[in-house]
Amino acid sequence: MYTAHPDRYADMPYRRTGRSGLKLPALSLGLWHNFGPDRPVDTQRAILRRAFDLGVTHFDLANNYGPPPGAAESALGEALRADFAGYRDELVISTKAGYLMWPGPYGEWGSRKYLLSSLDQSLTRMGLDHVDIFYSHRPDPETPLEETMGALHSAVQQGKALYVGVSNYSAEQTREAARILGELGTPLLIHQPRYSMLDRRPEDEGLLDALDELQVGSIVFSPLEQGLLSSRYLDGIPEDSRAASDSPFLNSDAVTEDLVGRLRALNEIAAARGQSLAQLALAWVLRGGRVTSALVGASSARQIEDSVAATRNLDFDADELARIDAVVKR
């Protein structure tokens, strides 16, 4: 039987989420692509256990995570029953709905029917009566935002979610979502955007400024750019890498000679800080406290250990930041 490490809260920084009372660990575990039936159950459970032992109290999911869709939630449900039944109140568990889950006109996007049906299915798969955070995974161009936000509000009113968030929303959409939710009496807790040293859109398009103004938290996904910001691509494309596969999220065309040169330059900056490139990338998104938490995936317990080690040095001086910008923007 699993017993959590007694010092699990000793080293992980926890950050308040916007103006709420909820604190999240600086690093959260995303169950996007490593918790399907193609991965050994023992490995999955070892990752979850090691993460929790290191103070990673937040497990982030979506209805379509796996693969196949739903598999990650089912896997977490099994782990909760086997290992974490006595620790549920120490965990923050989030899920989302917005992408395709079942055929027909009610199986994706942002209608009230889809969102609330999907949440019920997610709770069943995980064996829970509520999640801590329920997200609208993407804006729906055809459904009124009032309906989508109303569904999130209903999830809280029904006791099936404690907080609500949005993901992949623009700054303007986020402001409007926050306004609608505020009028309903369910504050917008958090936004989950894509953000990394190589993808500055949340800065460039004003999203981080909007979140600051609204006092809404943020948890960023793909801080390692699908693994590009790691040691894997410093010498090109490994045969067993995501870029060498048929992944729709990263292909070999993205790994250019110029990019590899920039990755090597960033790796030199990381080494001077006593960090790996991946640790530098995680520390960079967490710098200054504007981002509440960074989502990391892991295919092994060792990977989660390496990621958590990034929190030992989250400070940058002006010269380091200027050197990083010079490399990325050249």
Side-chain angles (χ1 to χ4, degrees), residues 139-216:
D140 183 342
E142 297 184 352
T143 297
L145 193 57
E146 288 82 0
E147 178 175 341
T148 301
M149 294 304 105
L152 297 186
H153 170 67
S154 292
V156 173
Q157 293 298 105
Q158 294 169 4
K160 296 176 182 178
L162 301 185
Y163 302 93
V164 298
V166 297
S167 182
N168 298 303
Y169 279 52
S170 69
E172 180 181 357
Q173 290 166 333
T174 301
R175 285 192 172 95
E176 183 64 6
R179 182 193 67 78
I180 294 168
L181 284 168
E183 291 179 355
L184 292 171
T186 297
L188 178 62
L189 174 79
I190 195 166
H191 189 299
Q192 187 173 133
R194 180 169 181 156
Y195 182 48
S196 75
M197 288 194 292
L198 299 179
D199 188 345
R200 309 286 186 92
R201 285 175 293 176
E203 293 177 8
D204 298 340
E205 298 174 2
L207 177 60
L208 293 185
D209 290 336
L211 298 179
D212 287 343
E213 294 167 15
L214 296 168
Q215 293 183 277
V216 169

Side-chain angles (χ1 to χ4, degrees), residues 2-3 8 40 76 90 140 160 173 210 231 294 325 330:
Y2 167 67
T3 301
R8 57 191 175 277
L76 180 65
E90 296 184 47
D140 183 342
K160 296 176 182 178
Q173 290 166 333
S231 60
D325 285 348
R330 75 184 184 192

